[in-house]
Amino acid sequence: MSAETVSVTGWGRTAPTTARLIRPRTYEEAAAAVRGCGARGGIARGLGRAYGDAAQNAGGAVLDMTGLDRVHVIDAAGGIVLCDAGVSLHRLMRVLLPLGWFVPVTPGTRHVTVGGAIGADIHGKNHHVCGGFSRHVLSFELLTADGEVRTVSRGTPLFDATTGGMGLTGVILTATVQLQPVETALMSVDTERARDLDDLMARLSASDHQYRYSVAWIDLLARGAATGRAVLTRGDHAPLEALGTRARREPLAFRTSRLPAVPAHLPEGLLTRTTVGLFNELWYRKAPRARTGQLQSISAFFHPLDGVPHWNRVYGRGGLVQYQFVVGYGQEETLRRIVRRVSQRRCPSFLAVLKRFGDADPGWLSFPVPGWTLALDIPAGLPGLGALLDELDEEVATAGGRVYLAKDSRLRPELLAAMYPRLDDFRALRAELDPRAVFVSDLSRRLSL
């Protein structure tokens, strides 16, 4: 087990703090690391793709769990995998796709660990059909503050506190996950343009139930009659008969592409209203007005940005804020107001996506609830950004919505209870399970979790 003092940030590269980074290689070393966290406590960390401060711990310990990355058992008949929490979704895809299985839920990057997927209760383009990641977790092993390793099954309070609990109930060691059967490693994709936000919401509401996966890219710099114009992309895993002769020779081959990495030091000011506006115009215009049945690789459909290593550096030294919220069905006017406000402020956002959520997940701090979720990336140094996002938080809370804790780095704590009604239950269970506050993070201190 190695340890060093380092500066740690989230994927947004904002608010770095210094911590002792510990790299356990066995379960015993993980338990020893928890016992030796010290007065400032510790928090587990995976591949660092949470945008905010959920896997940081100023002055304390951060446990890098990526060394625990074994795939223990694969039930190829039943589609169940038992693996370490440090295994990435990328590795699971490489191992499982040749067997005809796919991960049940994937976010916009495959470079997240199974433990991180549970701790953040990640969602993907299929939430309206399949729910979040925790819906497909049968059980997990959790190292708690007292040094005990507990087997936690779904339907129990500890399961619901841990899924979406941002690592604050303990360190996940292993997980048993139900998988999704597939015939090929390709996707059958339909693409269409929407002329404005109302047109987009109408298309999603009318036919989203016909697709397993659905997402819309929105041009947040478009104004006037074009406000909220979008490119809607939906699809499902391609059946074997959809493949041509050559592709049928290796229908389950997992192929990825990789472009040169973004340099560590880029000139400031690359992402301006002008440059992002030009990108958005080109992106919208190059999209087909309507196209059906295009075959795409899994990586191209789910994880296009994974092909650009360190793409977050494009935002410069100041980093980026990803702001994601959800408001319920019936609160469409709140969504319209927020999109108009962001458009009128000319926020240079080229990564803005809208999705529909299905039924709420059981996790007490899980983000998804039935409704509309919008996520947008904004350069952190944009003048007046903090005040704007504070105002949007108020709108979201008033509408009964919430922001996503895995991406948050600046929410005011007084809004948290309004957004997450099970917050008191989470705090009570955590106080009982971890009275000495062994598990703590910058996020938990900031929001008094």
Side-chain angles (χ1 to χ4, degrees), residues 210-365:
Q210 300 173 14
Y211 297 88
R212 178 176 292 273
Y213 302 100
S214 174
V215 67
W217 169 87
I218 295 185
D219 180 2
L220 288 179
L221 282 175
R223 292 185 291 180
T227 298
R229 68 179 182 176
V231 178
L232 177 56
T233 307
R234 298 184 285 191
D236 205 338
H237 298 278
L240 188 60
E241 64 259 21
L243 274 58
T245 303
R246 179 176 298 181
R248 287 194 189 194
R249 295 172 188 167
E250 294 182 293
L252 291 167
F254 179 47
R255 295 185 173 89
T256 62
S257 59
R258 184 181 178 91
L259 296 173
V262 175
H265 302 290
L266 286 175
E268 294 296 315
L270 287 179
L271 296 183
T272 66
R273 293 182 178 98
T274 300
T275 58
V276 174
L278 178 61
F279 171 87
N280 286 4
E281 181 70 24
L282 292 173
W283 192 260
Y284 181 77
R285 294 297 175 190
K286 84 175 186 64
R289 293 185 181 275
R291 181 177 61 197
T292 61
Q294 182 193 28
L295 293 180
Q296 294 183 8
S297 69
I298 277 174
S299 59
F301 181 75
F302 289 106
H303 317 117
L305 284 175
D306 282 349
V308 186
H310 306 294
W311 63 263
N312 55 341
R313 294 174 179 171
V314 163
Y315 291 83
R317 289 191 300 269
L320 71 140
V321 172
Q322 180 161 111
Y323 185 70
Q324 183 169 7
F325 68 90
V326 59
V327 292
Y329 298 122
Q331 295 293 332
E332 286 77 13
E333 188 53 41
T334 299
L335 176 62
R336 293 187 186 99
R337 280 198 305 270
I338 291 176
V339 169
R340 285 196 299 266
R341 291 189 64 180
V342 174
S343 298
Q344 290 164 2
R345 280 291 304 271
R346 306 290 286 162
C347 292
S349 176
F350 70 91
L351 289 175
V353 295
L354 182 73
K355 298 192 291 277
R356 294 171 76 248
F357 280 159
D359 293 340
D361 295 308
W364 294 345
L365 297 186

Side-chain angles (χ1 to χ4, degrees), residues 351-418:
L351 289 175
V353 295
L354 182 73
K355 298 192 291 277
R356 294 171 76 248
F357 280 159
D359 293 340
D361 295 308
W364 294 345
L365 297 186
S366 290
F367 169 64
V369 293
W372 304 93
T373 180
L374 177 66
L376 56 148
D377 286 358
I378 310 173
L382 186 72
L385 178 61
L388 171 63
L389 296 183
D390 284 347
E391 293 169 3
L392 298 189
D393 288 341
E394 295 280 359
E395 283 219 45
V396 169
T398 299
R402 57 185 57 167
V403 300
Y404 191 14
L405 297 183
K407 297 182 177 179
D408 177 59
S409 58
R410 23 91 25 223
L411 179 68
R412 301 197 312 277
E414 59 267 24
L415 291 177
L416 192 64

Side-chain angles (χ1 to χ4, degrees), residues 4-284:
E4 60 180 322
T5 300
V6 298
S7 178
V8 181
T9 74
W11 190 246
R13 304 175 74 209
T14 61
T17 55
T18 300
R20 187 163 51 97
L21 187 68
I22 304 172
R23 298 183 176 90
R25 292 293 182 266
T26 65
Y27 305 145
E28 292 76 17
E29 288 184 353
V34 169
R35 290 193 299 269
C37 278
R40 295 285 291 180
I43 193 72
R45 181 181 177 92
L47 289 166
R49 290 305 178 106
Y51 280 77
D53 53 5
Q56 299 174 214
N57 182 22
V62 172
L63 280 63
D64 180 342
M65 297 300 293
T66 56
L68 292 168
D69 61 351
R70 290 170 295 176
V71 177
H72 294 282
V73 179
I74 300 172
D75 177 356
I80 297 173
V81 63
L82 167 62
C83 63
D84 283 344
V87 172
S88 70
L89 299 191
H90 172 82
R91 183 160 176 232
L92 282 184
M93 291 176 196
R94 286 205 173 280
V95 171
L96 297 170
L97 268 170
L99 303 177
W101 297 99
F102 188 62
V103 294
V105 171
T106 177
T109 175
R110 60 186 179 273
H111 298 301
V112 298
T113 63
V114 170
I118 295 171
D121 197 11
I122 60 169
H123 57 271
K125 300 174 183 179
N126 59 344
H127 191 278
H128 64 294
V129 174
C130 299
F133 195 85
S134 66
R135 293 273 190 93
H136 310 273
V137 176
L138 304 180
S139 65
F140 52 81
E141 289 184 306
L142 185 71
L143 173 63
T144 50
D146 56 8
E148 182 180 347
V149 176
R150 307 176 186 224
T151 299
V152 184
S153 300
R154 60 182 177 185
T156 62
L158 185 53
F159 187 98
D160 293 344
T162 302
T163 54
M166 306 311 298
L168 296 171
T169 61
V171 178
I172 300 169
L173 297 177
T174 70
T176 303
V177 182
Q178 180 69 59
L179 305 168
Q180 165 70 33
V182 295
E183 293 183 13
T184 75
L186 294 174
M187 306 296 298
S188 177
V189 182
D190 295 353
T191 304
E192 58 192 292
R193 277 195 253 168
R195 63 182 179 273
D196 56 31
L197 183 60
D198 283 343
D199 182 31
L200 172 62
M201 290 193 292
R203 291 170 187 257
L204 286 166
S205 298
S207 55
D208 238 18
H209 63 280
Q210 300 173 14
Y211 297 88
R212 178 176 292 273
Y213 302 100
S214 174
V215 67
W217 169 87
I218 295 185
D219 180 2
L220 288 179
L221 282 175
R223 292 185 291 180
T227 298
R229 68 179 182 176
V231 178
L232 177 56
T233 307
R234 298 184 285 191
D236 205 338
H237 298 278
L240 188 60
E241 64 259 21
L243 274 58
T245 303
R246 179 176 298 181
R248 287 194 189 194
R249 295 172 188 167
E250 294 182 293
L252 291 167
F254 179 47
R255 295 185 173 89
T256 62
S257 59
R258 184 181 178 91
L259 296 173
V262 175
H265 302 290
L266 286 175
E268 294 296 315
L270 287 179
L271 296 183
T272 66
R273 293 182 178 98
T274 300
T275 58
V276 174
L278 178 61
F279 171 87
N280 286 4
E281 181 70 24
L282 292 173
W283 192 260
Y284 181 77

